[in-house]
Amino acid sequence: MDDHTRGRDTSPELTAVRTVLTHAETALERIDDTTEDADPDARDMRIALDEVVDLLAPWRRTAPPNRR
């Protein structure tokens, strides 16, 4: 993947991607696949969420938006 330097950019698409990224990170924090009563698919869910976070990370907000 290209080296993205979009951390300060804004657009409706970037907002949507950043929303999904934040939700994926939150879900990852909430899934504990180490407990005995964990969902049988919890490990696979964590793996999938890790992939989503890795894929969307280049578009993460890194600083306040540039003023236009």
Side-chain angles (χ1 to χ4, degrees):
M1 185 172 286
D2 295 334
D3 179 31
H4 295 279
T5 54
R6 305 286 315 269
R8 295 182 68 147
D9 294 345
T10 60
S11 72
E13 295 83 5
L14 283 169
T15 299
V17 166
R18 290 171 179 155
T19 299
V20 172
L21 174 59
T22 301
H23 285 287
E25 290 171 329
T26 300
L28 217 90
E29 293 170 5
R30 293 182 179 178
I31 294 176
D32 182 2
D33 61 351
T34 61
T35 63
E36 189 174 301
D37 61 338
D39 186 286
D41 292 329
R43 184 174 187 281
D44 292 334
M45 291 176 192
R46 287 190 60 82
I47 290 168
L49 287 166
D50 276 330
E51 290 179 20
V52 169
V53 169
D54 287 346
L55 287 170
L56 299 182
W59 295 283
R60 179 185 314 279
R61 164 121 14 248
T62 58
N66 290 322
R67 297 206 181 250
R68 293 179 187 224

